[in-house]
């Protein structure tokens, strides 16, 4: 799990960099040009002069909750457009890889989410125009286009993603031969298991596992979880069969450790955060990106209170 610790270090480093930018510039917002180049906003004198007025930065845990919220939104948007699971998986991995480098305080995840979906559609040859994508979810498509080069650069232009879904189908076909399933009932049972495994894979894609393990192991972990419910075969015996046929040097114990780790990440996966769960964090984020928005909000509230007082006085 050294890779897991390395990921955590990257999240902390990005968070720390954004905090330092907040102290130096009074805001964390980055100006992004169409060519992917970026710069921090100009220092704000009032934010520099008064530490009390400076917005509070997000904690690492708050960033994590916000990322989780938008990862689930990626699945929502892809479902709404009826995109194949492969596009959803590709967009999720782009999103995860992007935020290994950046803090959400530097680039708002709502904008990056849309750009990742757009890039995934291109990479998987299921092109949807930025205008169509933006219109479908009532967002400005220019946000997608303005962030496209930034996302591609952050991914190192490495756009090939291997998701577990194709591996799932291959393993289920192999299981059919392994069990000698040749009647309709057994075939239907395996089909149900495949669909259950796809749902488990959807959960896996929202964990850190896709950045830590190859797609074949992700697929086996999903199938093992589905097999617990459907109880189709002796799964450990099946794993031994795979390793022996592939003449793999990997021991069954090593493979089991990997599958157990993936399983534990799924078990730790909480219910998707709701808009209510992240409302306070999003408010903090907007204040970090644009401190002026916090002042405007306070003025609106103040005017609202004054209006309320005037109404009471009149009555």
């Amino acid at each position: 799990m050294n890779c897991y610790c390395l990921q955590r270090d990257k999240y902390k480093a990005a968070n720390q960099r954004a905090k330092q930018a907040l102290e130096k510039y009074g805001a964390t917002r980055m100006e992004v040009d169409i060519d992917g180049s970026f710069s921090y906003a100009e220092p704000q004198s009032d934010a520099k002069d008064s530490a009390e007025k400076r917005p509070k930065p997000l904690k690492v845990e708050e960033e994590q909750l916000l990322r989780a919220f938008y990862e689930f939104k990626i699945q929502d948007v892809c479902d709404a457009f009826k995109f194949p699971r492969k596009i959803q998986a590709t967009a999720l991995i782009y999103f995860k890889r992007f935020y290994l480098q950046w803090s959400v305080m530097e680039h708002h995840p709502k904008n990056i989410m849309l750009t990742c979906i757009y890039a995934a559609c291109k990479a998987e040859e299921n092109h949807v125009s930025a205008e169509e994508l933006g219109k479908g979810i009532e967002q400005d498509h220019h946000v997608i286009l303005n962030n496209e080069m930034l996302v591609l650069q952050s991914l190192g232009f490495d756009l090939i993603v291997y998701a577990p879904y194709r591996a799932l189908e291959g393993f289920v076909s192999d299981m059919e031969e392994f069990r000698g399933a040749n009647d309709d009932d057994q075939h239907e049972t395996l089909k149900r298991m495949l669909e259950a495994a796809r749902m488990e894979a959807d959960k896996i894609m929202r964990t850190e596992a896709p950045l830590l393990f190859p797609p074949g192991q992700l697929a086996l972990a999903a199938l093992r979880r589905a097999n617990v419910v459907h109880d189709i075969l002796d799964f450990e015996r099946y794993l031994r069969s795979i390793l022996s046929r592939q003449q793999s040097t990997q021991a069954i114990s090593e493979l089991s450790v990997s599958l157990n780790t993936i399983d534990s990440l799924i078990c730790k996966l909480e219910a998707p955060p709701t808009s209510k769960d992240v409302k306070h964090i999003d408010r903090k984020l907007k204040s970090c990106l644009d401190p002026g928005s916090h002042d405007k909000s306070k003025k609106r509230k103040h005017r609202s209170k004054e209006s309320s007082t005037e109404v009471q006085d009149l009555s």
Side-chain angles (χ1 to χ4, degrees):
M1 291 299 286
N2 289 336
C3 291
Y4 187 72
C5 295
L6 184 61
Q7 281 181 244
R8 292 297 173 211
D9 290 342
K10 288 184 176 181
Y11 292 139
K12 289 177 182 177
N15 178 269
Q16 187 61 34
R17 185 181 62 238
K19 285 181 179 178
Q20 291 170 352
L22 190 62
E23 292 174 6
K24 183 176 181 180
Y25 299 104
T28 59
R29 185 183 73 255
M30 283 184 160
E31 304 291 347
V32 182
D33 292 330
I34 196 71
D35 64 354
S37 61
F38 53 85
S39 59
Y40 284 102
E42 288 296 318
Q44 299 180 8
S45 58
D46 59 338
K48 285 177 67 180
D49 296 339
S50 176
E52 293 179 3
K53 291 183 180 179
R54 193 173 297 138
K56 290 184 179 179
L58 270 63
K59 299 175 183 175
V60 174
E61 295 77 17
E62 290 175 322
E63 288 205 45
Q64 182 180 355
L65 189 64
L66 206 57
R67 288 196 308 270
F69 175 77
Y70 282 102
E71 285 181 10
F72 190 71
K73 284 296 177 187
I74 286 175
Q75 293 183 323
D76 268 355
V77 172
C78 289
D79 285 345
F81 277 88
K82 295 183 169 53
F83 290 150
R85 272 188 165 99
K86 183 67 168 70
I87 288 178
Q88 174 182 292
T90 299
L92 276 167
I93 291 179
Y94 286 175
F95 187 86
K96 289 175 184 292
R97 285 170 55 195
F98 181 89
Y99 282 109
L100 285 175
Q101 298 186 48
W102 300 106
S103 163
V104 302
M105 289 185 280
E106 294 168 320
H107 302 289
H108 200 299
K110 180 173 74 174
N111 301 335
I112 301 304
M113 169 196 78
L114 297 173
T115 308
C116 287
I117 295 171
Y118 178 65
C121 287
K122 277 188 175 182
E124 299 303 329
E125 299 182 351
N126 192 44
H127 182 60
V128 174
S129 70
E131 291 87 347
E132 186 180 350
L133 183 58
K135 186 178 179 181
I137 50 179
E138 299 180 346
Q139 296 294 331
D140 183 1
H141 72 275
H142 290 101
V143 169
I144 299 171
L145 296 175
N146 289 344
N147 284 287
E148 183 180 13
M149 188 56 68
L150 171 70
V151 168
L152 296 179
Q153 288 176 345
S154 299
L155 298 174
F157 294 94
D158 180 9
L159 304 181
I160 298 175
V161 167
Y162 297 101
Y165 299 104
R166 184 173 293 182
L168 282 177
E169 295 172 7
F171 281 127
V172 168
S173 294
D174 186 58
M175 286 177 181
E176 201 163 8
E177 290 185 24
F178 177 76
R179 294 179 72 242
N182 51 17
D183 60 60
D184 290 341
D185 286 344
Q186 291 188 14
H187 186 67
E188 283 301 314
T189 302
L190 282 168
K191 279 180 65 177
R192 287 195 296 272
M193 181 176 174
L194 174 59
E195 191 51 43
R198 282 174 178 153
M199 294 174 70
E200 292 296 334
D202 288 345
K203 295 178 190 175
I204 289 173
M205 294 306 299
R206 286 175 37 229
T207 71
E208 301 299 317
L211 298 178
L212 300 170
F213 300 96
Q217 291 185 4
L218 301 179
L220 285 172
L223 284 164
R224 190 174 72 165
R225 288 176 65 86
N227 188 63
V228 170
V229 177
H230 293 276
D231 194 23
I232 290 176
L233 72 169
D234 181 336
F235 209 84
E236 185 164 331
R237 181 167 160 261
Y238 176 65
L239 292 179
R240 291 183 187 280
S241 167
I242 293 174
L243 293 177
S244 64
R245 280 180 285 149
Q246 293 180 347
Q247 297 181 338
S248 173
T249 57
Q250 185 180 30
I252 185 69
S253 57
E254 293 176 36
L255 180 56
S256 294
V257 167
S258 295
L259 300 188
N260 290 340
T261 303
I262 296 169
D263 200 54
S264 68
L265 290 172
I266 301 172
C267 292
K268 289 176 185 174
L269 193 66
E270 298 177 357
T274 64
S275 298
K276 186 177 179 181
D277 294 332
V278 300
K279 187 176 181 181
H280 172 65
I281 301 173
D282 193 53
R283 209 161 35 229
K284 280 180 70 176
L285 174 58
K286 287 176 181 175
S287 185
C288 290
L289 291 166
D290 182 11
S293 66
H294 181 63
D295 295 334
K296 290 171 190 171
S297 176
K298 286 175 71 175
K299 286 178 182 177
R300 281 196 298 270
K301 286 182 181 178
H302 183 65
R303 283 198 299 268
S304 177
K305 285 181 180 178
E306 284 182 343
S307 299
S308 176
T309 304
E310 286 173 5
V311 169
Q312 288 177 4
D313 289 343
L314 288 170
S315 61

